[in-house]
Amino acid sequence: MHGKGRIWATLWVTCWATLWVTCWATRAGTLWRNSLAGMLALLAATGSQAQQAFPTRPITIVVPAAAGGPTDTVARLIAEPMGRTLGQQIVVENVGGAGGTIGVGRVAKAAGDGYTLLVWHIGQSTAPALYDNLRYDVFADFDPIGRITDVPMTIVAKKALAAKDIGELIAWLKEKGEQVTYAHAGIGSAAHLCGLMLMSALNIKMNAVVYRGTGPAMNDLVGGQFDMMCDQTTGTANQIKAGTIKGFAATTKSRIPLLSELPTLDESGVQGFEVSAWHALWGPKGLPKEVVEKLTAALQGALQEPVVIERMAGLATVPVAQDLATPAALKAQLELEVAKWGAVIRAAGVKAN
Ligand code: MLT
């Protein structure tokens, strides 16, 4: 812009600025301020009205494993009663693969408005140590809502396997080693972690068959497609009871009441062996406080429903206590478990990539 033009432009801007400031200072300014304050108040009210009215449309719970599996079962158990309490349908969406990190990553990127939630488990605590290029932070990218249930795990095998009890199974595993095929749901999944612990405790290597969840794996185990796996009772209890697969041992420190015929690995000579798949509910980071409170209250309500308690008992698990179905308890659990399994995984020298 040349000489004269620049002078005019500067003059023009200065005039407008002076006028604006003068206005502000005068009565007209007061009007400005009031209407601005009014607009801001309106905005705030609309926002909190939206939060108070939450939910106004269906909610999606993402399960990072295949349909029909243990985690899917847990998510569907709470979805219906929570939806009833919140007055909106809760839809379960299965996004399996990569040990659950694809589905978890989906929620990490979702809007923090309460309409996309995550039901996952111990896998949330193993991923940080296993995946170098994890595309989310299990603490910073999620808001905890509450714990749900701690599902015991069991060592199971195809019906045709000759071994009659855990002692014979362990001897067979040690003899056959890498000829043995075992299934898991990807690096960092509960079945993978339990398999890893068993191999390190027995000092053996087995051949892994990887699925998008232990639901589809169970169908193949019933069909005798592979030898054994370590899976949650929400997936195994009914099959063991039906005799379609063989149950050998429990991974908990004490026997599972519903499957009391199964000895624990600990009492069977694999000292100190203990793992269960604790499950929980998270949202993406940024959930409004009122929304977290509503979701936590709905979760707590669902865990007290007689039908939920009964269904969980039929799958050899129980709801957590009410004071554990809270954001604070879940935050504490995740911190503890990330530290614990991080150390186990680093000691085992296992990496996903
Ligand atoms: C599933 O629902 O398939 C399991 O939770 C997978 C796993 O073993 O982590």
Side-chain angles (χ1 to χ4, degrees), residues 319-343:
V320 296
Q322 291 284 288
D323 62 347
L324 295 181
T326 61
L330 176 51
K331 184 170 176 294
Q333 170 79 351
L334 187 61
E335 281 161 2
L336 210 68
E337 293 279 295
V338 166
K340 173 177 163 188
W341 296 112

Side-chain angles (χ1 to χ4, degrees), residues 140-306:
D141 294 329
F142 298 89
D143 276 337
I145 295 166
R147 292 173 57 180
I148 305 172
T149 179
D150 299 353
V151 185
M153 300 186 76
T154 48
I155 304 294
V156 294
K158 64 184 179 188
K159 198 174 170 188
L161 208 80
K164 287 189 289 308
D165 59 33
I166 187 64
E168 287 186 11
L169 179 71
I170 290 174
W172 183 76
L173 293 177
K174 286 183 174 172
E175 182 201 332
K176 299 291 180 189
E178 288 197 58
Q179 292 167 44
V180 177
T181 49
Y182 86 107
H184 66 68
I187 306 285
S189 64
H192 171 249
L193 180 69
C194 181
L196 201 63
M197 288 171 67
L198 189 66
M199 287 191 282
S200 120
L202 301 180
N203 194 20
I204 60 170
K205 284 215 172 339
M206 298 189 283
N207 205 352
V209 191
V210 183
Y211 289 79
R212 295 171 77 80
T214 52
M218 182 54 75
N219 299 336
D220 283 356
L221 185 64
V222 170
Q225 305 297 312
F226 59 87
D227 298 318
M228 58 92 60
M229 76 174 162
C230 179
D231 194 19
Q232 301 157 57
T233 57
T234 37
T236 62
N238 290 338
Q239 301 289 356
I240 293 171
K241 291 280 177 200
T244 51
I245 61 173
K246 276 186 173 180
F248 282 92
T251 66
T252 39
K253 265 296 175 68
S254 49
R255 290 193 179 204
I256 303 167
L258 186 78
L259 300 165
S260 56
E261 74 279 9
L262 296 188
T264 65
L265 277 170
D266 181 57
E267 72 179 274
S268 312
V270 191
Q271 242 102 49
F273 196 102
E274 184 179 16
V275 63
S276 60
W278 58 272
H279 279 70
L281 183 65
W282 285 269
K285 197 73 195 169
L287 294 179
K289 187 166 161 296
E290 295 84 0
V291 170
V292 174
E293 285 164 1
K294 274 193 177 173
L295 290 168
T296 300
L299 171 63
Q300 290 176 343
L303 297 179
Q304 287 180 304
E305 293 233 355

Side-chain angles (χ1 to χ4, degrees), residues 295-321:
L295 290 168
T296 300
L299 171 63
Q300 290 176 343
L303 297 179
Q304 287 180 304
E305 293 233 355
V307 64
V308 171
I309 296 169
E310 197 189 317
R311 293 249 357 250
M312 282 199 181
L315 298 168
T317 190
V318 293
V320 296

